[in-house]
């Protein structure tokens, strides 16, 4: 069951936003999501298995992500892996959260908490 407006889901938990970001450019399985978050954040954010799969379960139920029926290459893959992708609604929620965070960063810059060049 999805809420009608993406903004009704905000703010997302950091784990949920990172999972949506990981799925924004391609379909991934759970371990690949954890690795992508770790790499993107340079190890500053780690999504452990409990958080990951608890979040995935909730996000599946809420219609933010979908589990794939097909496998990328069954001959080269472990059949136990489950692959996920963003739903259209999940993409809209991720965009709304990114826009919300962008406004916060702009406010921080206007208050001289961040430099104009982003450092």
């Amino acid at each position: 069951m999805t809420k009608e407006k993406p903004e009704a889901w905000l703010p997302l938990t950091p784990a949920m936003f990172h999972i949506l970001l990981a799925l924004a450019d391609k379909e991934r399985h759970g371990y690949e999501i954890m690795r992508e978050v770790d790499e993107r954040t340079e190890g500053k954010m780690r999504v452990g298995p409990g958080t990951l799969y608890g979040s995935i379960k909730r996000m599946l139920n809420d219609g933010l992500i979908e589990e794939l029926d097909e496998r990328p290459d069954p001959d080269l893959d472990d059949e136990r892996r489950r692959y996920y992708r963003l739903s259209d609604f999940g993409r809209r929620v991720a965009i709304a959260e990114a826009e919300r965070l962008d406004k916060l960063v702009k406010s921080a810059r206007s208050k001289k908490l961040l430099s104009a060049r982003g450092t």
Side-chain angles (χ1 to χ4, degrees):
M1 174 74 67
T2 58
K3 297 178 184 178
E4 197 161 308
K5 293 186 178 188
E7 294 78 14
W9 288 85
L10 306 184
L12 294 175
T13 67
M16 288 177 69
F17 188 55
H18 280 283
I19 292 166
L20 293 177
L21 280 176
L23 296 173
D25 60 346
K26 70 182 241 183
E27 301 156 346
R28 297 179 194 270
H29 58 79
Y31 181 67
E32 193 176 9
I33 292 170
M34 287 191 289
R35 277 196 345 233
E36 203 275 334
V37 170
D38 184 56
E39 289 173 15
R40 185 172 9 89
T41 65
E42 298 174 343
K44 292 177 183 157
M45 169 79 178
R46 292 185 186 252
V47 179
T51 299
L52 176 72
Y53 291 106
S55 297
I56 284 175
K57 182 178 179 181
R58 177 176 176 216
M59 294 165 76
L60 284 166
N61 288 336
D62 292 340
L64 298 175
I65 63 174
E66 303 165 341
E67 186 174 337
L68 302 180
D69 292 329
E70 67 277 359
R71 309 189 65 67
D73 188 347
D75 295 333
L76 299 175
D77 195 24
D78 185 335
E79 65 185 35
R80 296 170 294 180
R81 284 185 176 151
R82 302 289 178 249
Y83 283 81
Y84 307 96
R85 70 173 160 226
L86 277 182
S87 66
D88 291 336
F89 184 68
R91 183 169 297 283
R92 292 188 355 245
V93 169
I95 289 168
E97 179 70 341
E99 289 171 347
R100 183 188 75 82
L101 293 170
D102 184 54
K103 287 178 187 175
L104 284 174
V105 169
K106 287 177 181 172
S107 292
R109 284 197 175 104
S110 75
K111 300 285 186 177
K112 308 289 189 231
L113 295 175
L114 295 171
S115 69
R117 58 176 212 266
T119 57

